[in-house]
């Protein structure tokens, strides 16, 4: 069974074609600058690269080029589009209506439209990808896998904000959580590694990348998470502020005369470790700058580590009987020093990482000492595979 996974942003589209008989990626690619001058598709098949540089005015044209690339005689991997059995789409915000992956129907469309108010850049872009596939592959089933779905198991005491209940009732203002596909994948993988039934597993999943979130998992389900109504809450991120006193927002708007759009941009694009350091949002640059004595880069890294520490420790108390702490995402998988910084201080609770075992990137590794009270793992996430698996299950 061949499944195409599509992840559409407002001007980009990532894709992977899986052979689900052995979960092998046959081909993957990225389209950038959709609707902007200089559109470009880059496809990778093993070591080979195939590039198309041609204007693509919308997502339908981008999807058309993806189909051309994967069926290309020389650079493609299938001879005809009829070989695609289903398409799995990444969707961002399904609100309270979507609690699991679903075959697209009218209810899904309504939910995507309704919750676009909280994901104005993502949900409409995800929809454009879907509509392009429906147009060009009319006989193939489409499945939607939502970032928010995994977190719908959170109890009310963890998803409500400390504001008048009417805002939840009238406007659905609450914590939804994101990165659900990754946290779900990590939970399943950890259960498999520990040879446990997922429903008996309490753990902490730390997805640390450009966007970062931590998830407390109780009995195999999301119990609490750091991202909120939108992906802005929680950890200090590459360019997002994470938690702050809401008064900071109203104060800055008043002082600088910022409107909501500008303020949104400040918090999402100009803040986080980029804003604090003035150096970069990329942790490799920050680690280099800190090593060269840049004070603000050092502070930004410490802020990131401390915020993560606070959530991990808090979630351990919330969930109880935690068996594993797992690091994933670009930083979680690759930054040996950031994992060390985050876990520093947990020794007093009997949780220790082994510096030698921690000297790894990606893959699936136990990095804690033999006598550590909680096992610490590095596990590479794979959201695309998770989407392909759910799609296969549903069709
Ligand atoms: P996204 O959220 O866009 O999917 P990723 O999970 O790919 O992001 O994470 C990207 C981040 O991972 C980069 O910004 C960079 O900070 C970090 N990263 C990647 N490799 C390393 C490394 N070797 N050391 C430290 N940080 C790294």
């Amino acid at each position: 069974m061949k499944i195409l996974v599509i992840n559409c942003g407002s001007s980009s589209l990532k894709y992977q074609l899986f052979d689900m008989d052995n979960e092998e990626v046959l081909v993957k690619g990225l389209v950038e600058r959709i609707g902007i001058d200089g559109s470009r598709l880059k496809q990778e098949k093993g070591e080979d690269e195939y590039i198309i540089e041609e204007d693509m005015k919308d997502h339908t044209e981008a999807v058309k080029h993806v189909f051309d690339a994967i069926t290309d005689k020389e650079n493609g991997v299938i001879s005809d589009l009829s070989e695609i059995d289903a398409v799995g789409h990444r969707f961002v915000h399904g609100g309270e209506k979507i609690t699991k992956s679903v075959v697209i129907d009218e209810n899904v469309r309504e939910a995507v439209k309704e919750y676009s108010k909280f994901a104005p850049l993502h949900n409409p872009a995800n929809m454009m990808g879907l509509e392009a596939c429906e147009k060009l592959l009319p006989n193939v089933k489409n499945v939607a896998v939502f970032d928010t779905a995994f977190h719908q198991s959170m109890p009310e005491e963890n998803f409500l904000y400390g504001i008048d209940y009417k805002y939840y009732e009238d406007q659905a203002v609450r914590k939804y959580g994101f990165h659900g596909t990754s946290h779900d994948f990590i939970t399943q993988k950890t259960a498999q590694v520990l040879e446990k039934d997922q429903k008996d597993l309490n753990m902490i999943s730390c997805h640390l990348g450009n966007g970062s979130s931590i998830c407390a998992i109780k009995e195999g389900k999301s119990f609490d998470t750091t991202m909120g109504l939108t992906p802005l809450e929680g950890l200090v991120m590459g360019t997002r502020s994470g938690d702050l006193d809401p008064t900071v927002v109203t104060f800055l708007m008043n002082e600088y005369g910022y409107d909501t759009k500008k303020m949104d941009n400040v918090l999402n694009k100009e803040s986080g470790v980029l804003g604090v350091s003035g150096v970069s949002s990329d942790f490799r640059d920050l680690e280099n700058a800190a090593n060269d004595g840049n004070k603000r880069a050092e502070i930004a890294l410490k802020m990131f580590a401390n915020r993560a520490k606070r959530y991990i420790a808090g979630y351990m108390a919330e969930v109880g009987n935690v068996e594993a702490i797992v690091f994933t995402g670009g930083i979680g998988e690759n930054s040996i020093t950031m994992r060390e910084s985050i876990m520093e201080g947990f020794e007093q609770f009997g949780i220790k990482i082994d510096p030698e075992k921690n000297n790894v990137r990606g893959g699936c590794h136990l990095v804690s000492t033999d006598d550590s009270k909680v096992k610490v793992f590095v596990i590479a996430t794979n959201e695309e595979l998770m989407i392909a698996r759910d799609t296969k299950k549903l069709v």
Side-chain angles (χ1 to χ4, degrees):
M1 178 182 242
K2 294 198 178 69
I3 288 176
L4 180 66
V5 172
I6 285 192
N7 179 355
C8 257
S10 50
S11 67
S12 71
L13 186 167
K14 288 188 212 152
Y15 65 95
Q16 291 195 12
L17 181 66
F18 285 88
D19 179 349
M20 289 309 285
D21 295 338
N22 51 12
E23 296 194 335
E24 184 195 351
V25 178
L26 299 172
V27 73
K28 62 179 176 183
L30 167 68
V31 189
E32 290 173 294
R33 303 183 64 86
I34 302 169
I36 311 171
D37 281 352
S39 319
R40 181 173 191 265
L41 178 151
K42 185 170 131 190
Q43 175 164 286
E44 290 171 32
K45 184 174 72 171
E47 302 277 291
D48 298 334
E49 267 183 26
Y50 174 47
I51 290 169
I52 302 175
E53 279 170 340
E54 215 172 287
D55 278 348
M56 304 178 207
K57 70 173 183 344
D58 55 26
H59 286 72
T60 306
E61 283 196 5
V63 170
K64 218 182 265 169
H65 280 88
V66 169
F67 289 164
D68 287 346
I70 58 180
T71 53
D72 186 79
K73 269 210 175 72
E74 250 172 69
N75 305 287
V77 285
I78 53 174
S79 51
D80 195 272
L81 289 178
S82 61
E83 289 179 49
I84 299 174
D85 295 291
V87 185
H89 298 262
R90 180 216 179 192
F91 272 82
V92 169
H93 215 306
E96 291 190 316
K97 300 248 161 85
I98 309 284
T99 58
K100 53 184 190 306
S101 302
V102 276
V103 176
I104 307 270
D105 61 12
E106 258 334 289
N107 290 336
V108 179
R109 282 176 217 279
E110 298 250 314
V112 172
K113 256 189 226 141
E114 183 178 343
Y115 291 100
S116 284
K117 65 180 177 183
F118 300 138
L121 296 179
H122 290 99
N123 273 19
N126 302 155
M127 207 53 171
M128 284 191 271
L130 168 69
E131 283 167 356
C133 287
E134 286 176 332
K135 207 189 288 176
L136 300 167
L137 274 183
N139 300 319
V140 167
K141 270 200 178 133
N142 291 282
V143 167
V145 179
F146 285 83
D147 279 10
T148 50
F150 183 65
H151 300 296
Q152 278 300 304
S153 50
M154 284 192 291
E156 211 160 348
E157 66 270 24
N158 288 343
F159 74 64
L160 283 176
Y161 289 121
I163 53 176
D164 193 322
Y165 199 80
K166 73 178 180 203
Y167 298 118
Y168 169 54
E169 290 182 309
D170 295 350
Q171 293 291 339
V173 171
R174 50 159 285 180
K175 178 189 278 191
Y176 289 96
F178 297 85
H179 286 147
T181 313
S182 175
H183 292 304
D184 192 0
F185 178 88
I186 292 297
T187 309
Q188 290 185 20
K189 181 81 186 173
T190 307
Q192 193 191 335
V193 170
L194 293 173
E195 297 181 354
K196 286 196 72 131
D197 226 330
Q198 186 172 330
K199 68 174 183 2
D200 300 324
L201 178 62
N202 291 358
M203 59 172 280
I204 314 286
S205 165
C206 309
H207 180 112
L208 312 178
N210 243 331
S212 295
S213 73
I214 296 182
C215 182
I217 289 139
K218 188 172 183 174
E219 295 166 356
K221 294 185 196 150
S222 174
F223 187 72
D224 205 346
T225 193
T226 57
M227 283 179 169
L229 176 74
T230 74
L232 186 56
E233 193 183 346
L235 301 172
V236 181
M237 301 176 222
T239 61
R240 294 183 207 139
S241 64
D243 301 337
L244 41 76
D245 181 339
T247 312
V248 172
V249 179
T250 45
F251 177 80
L252 292 181
M253 289 176 83
N254 282 333
E255 285 298 308
Y256 291 92
Y258 291 165
D259 60 11
T260 48
K261 196 165 170 224
K262 169 67 183 166
M263 199 60 229
D264 205 58
N265 205 53
V266 166
L267 294 171
N268 278 290
K269 301 268 170 65
E270 299 169 13
S271 299
V273 292
L274 169 69
V276 173
S277 70
V279 172
S280 172
S281 63
D282 192 299
F283 279 62
R284 287 162 289 201
D285 300 339
L286 289 175
E287 286 173 8
N288 289 336
N291 286 337
D292 291 343
N294 185 311
K295 262 277 148 292
R296 274 170 53 188
E298 193 184 321
I299 292 169
L301 290 168
K302 281 192 180 149
M303 279 174 78
F304 182 87
N306 281 350
R307 186 80 54 91
K309 245 187 247 285
R310 226 175 284 162
Y311 273 113
I312 294 171
Y315 283 169
M316 289 187 65
E318 255 186 53
V319 167
N321 293 322
V322 164
E323 279 191 63
I325 298 168
V326 183
F327 287 96
T328 194
I331 301 161
E333 290 168 33
N334 294 301
S335 179
I336 294 158
T337 49
M338 184 46 75
R339 290 196 299 263
E340 253 170 32
S341 305
I342 293 173
M343 293 315 296
E344 197 185 309
F346 279 90
E347 302 85 2
Q348 64 187 306
F349 306 115
I351 305 167
K352 287 177 263 178
I353 55 173
D354 178 327
E356 260 175 46
K357 289 188 188 165
N358 187 41
N359 194 12
V360 287
R361 295 183 203 280
C364 177
H365 306 275
L366 178 69
V367 298
S368 46
T369 57
D370 293 343
D371 64 345
S372 177
K373 277 200 180 142
V374 175
K375 290 189 164 71
V376 182
F377 290 98
V378 173
I379 299 181
T381 195
N382 194 337
E383 287 156 291
E384 292 77 16
L385 177 58
M386 191 74 206
I387 295 173
R389 281 182 184 164
D390 277 8
T391 304
K392 181 182 174 187
K393 239 184 276 167
L394 285 164
V395 301

